[in-house]
Amino acid sequence: MSAGAEVVVVEGVRRSFGALVPVLQDVSFRLEPGELVLLRGPSGAGKSTVLNLVAGLDRPDGGEVLVDGVRVAGLGHPARFRREVVGFVFQLHHLLAELTAEENVEVPLIPAHLRRSQRRARARAALAEVGLGDRATHRPVELSGGERQLTAVARAIVGRPRLLLADEPTGSLDAIAGERVLGLIGRLSRDQGMTVLLVSHDPRAAGRVDRVLELRDGRIVAPEPR
Ligand SMILES: Nc1ncnc2c1ncn2[C@@H]1O[C@H](COP(=O)(O)OP(=O)(O)OP(=O)(O)O)[C@@H](O)[C@H]1O
Ligand SMILES: [Mg+2]
């Protein structure tokens, strides 16, 4: 396959979990640089599975997943790729319980050659961007569900990754915080050329993206008008 200018190429991907659960049957799509694309579909359709494959957290049973022209499943340094190229907002947040919000946000910056004070300043700036500047020193148990989600968004964008994979980043947010996160993601894509694959059931999301991919019965189908 030729490596074009696409940031993400997913071609003919299959993934099953045991013989009885073929989740992805033949999934193909491409993301151009700076595109903001919504991946939609019913619960259990395989949206999180797709994000995991693009992030190199899982391997396809068949087909290809390329990021910046490189096959993700064969990477020699997957941890570095995930740190330097990809920002991931996990559906279940995955914050480290022992660390404060700002320390959690600093985690992706630790391998970069930054002074501790610089790291802290960037983490605080990212928390301020999501509207959480006043909770920087709280631990996850001291944050609300929505605040944990905002912390996870700040952690995913703090290193200004080339590719942002965001799994339901507004799922536990009220209308105002949800708007702020969708607005921030839109600006990162528009102004900084960040490529974004967004999974969301949020009805506001569809109107704010360049394109919708609809995942159904293991394939990308034409999006249903809403
Ligand atoms: N590690 C795993 N082992 C077994 N089955 C799995 C595994 N991961 C996912 N599945 C199954 O694959 C299917 C798709 O899961 P996935 O989490 O990708 O769905 P989703 O589209 O993200 O759903 P939701 O909207 O509820 O988050 C589900 O039926 C799930 O049970
Ligand atoms: Mg999911």
Side-chain angles (χ1 to χ4, degrees):
M1 192 188 309
S2 69
E6 292 91 353
V7 178
V8 175
V9 174
V10 172
E11 191 66 49
V13 160
R14 289 184 285 111
R15 183 72 174 108
S16 319
F17 298 103
L20 296 176
V21 194
V23 178
L24 306 180
Q25 306 211 31
D26 183 4
V27 170
S28 302
F29 64 88
R30 289 165 182 244
L31 303 185
E32 307 284 339
E35 260 197 312
L36 168 51
V37 174
L38 174 66
L39 176 61
R40 207 164 58 178
S43 267
K47 303 178 298 296
S48 297
T49 302
V50 169
L51 292 198
N52 285 334
L53 289 165
V54 174
L57 295 168
D58 187 20
R59 280 168 173 259
D61 299 325
E64 298 253 62
V65 179
L66 310 186
V67 174
D68 279 342
V70 176
R71 184 172 299 112
V72 170
L75 279 175
H77 298 282
R80 194 167 142 201
F81 161 76
R82 284 197 286 273
R83 208 166 54 223
E84 294 179 358
V85 182
V86 180
F88 205 129
V89 184
F90 291 97
Q91 195 167 9
L92 295 172
H93 312 172
H94 293 313
L95 297 176
L96 296 169
E98 301 301 313
L99 304 185
T100 64
E102 64 189 359
E103 288 164 351
N104 267 288
V105 174
E106 275 180 56
V107 165
L109 299 178
I110 287 171
H113 298 288
L114 290 174
R115 278 202 301 276
R116 192 156 182 275
S117 58
Q118 292 174 308
R119 258 191 350 239
R120 181 62 43 104
R122 288 207 197 171
R124 292 212 161 178
L127 284 169
E129 279 185 293
V130 299
L132 215 55
D134 58 348
R135 294 287 186 277
T137 58
H138 287 227
R139 290 194 164 69
V141 288
E142 300 158 350
L143 296 168
S144 74
E147 289 168 344
R148 275 177 227 155
Q149 182 146 49
L150 292 169
T151 305
V153 172
R155 180 182 57 184
I157 63 162
V158 71
R160 290 297 188 259
R162 202 166 139 64
L163 174 63
L164 177 66
L165 304 171
D167 203 347
E168 291 285 4
T170 64
S172 22
L173 301 182
D174 67 23
I176 291 171
E179 275 297 323
R180 189 186 296 123
V181 165
L182 291 175
L184 173 61
I185 288 175
R187 281 196 303 282
L188 289 169
S189 153
R190 208 170 43 244
D191 303 342
Q192 303 197 11
M194 197 180 280
T195 306
V196 184
L197 186 54
L198 168 68
V199 170
S200 183
H201 294 284
D202 191 330
R204 288 166 305 193
R208 312 187 65 141
V209 298
D210 298 319
R211 198 150 61 85
V212 177
L213 296 170
E214 187 99 28
L215 184 60
R216 221 167 264 275
D217 302 324
R219 291 179 168 76
I220 303 290
V221 299
E224 286 175 9
R226 292 202 171 184

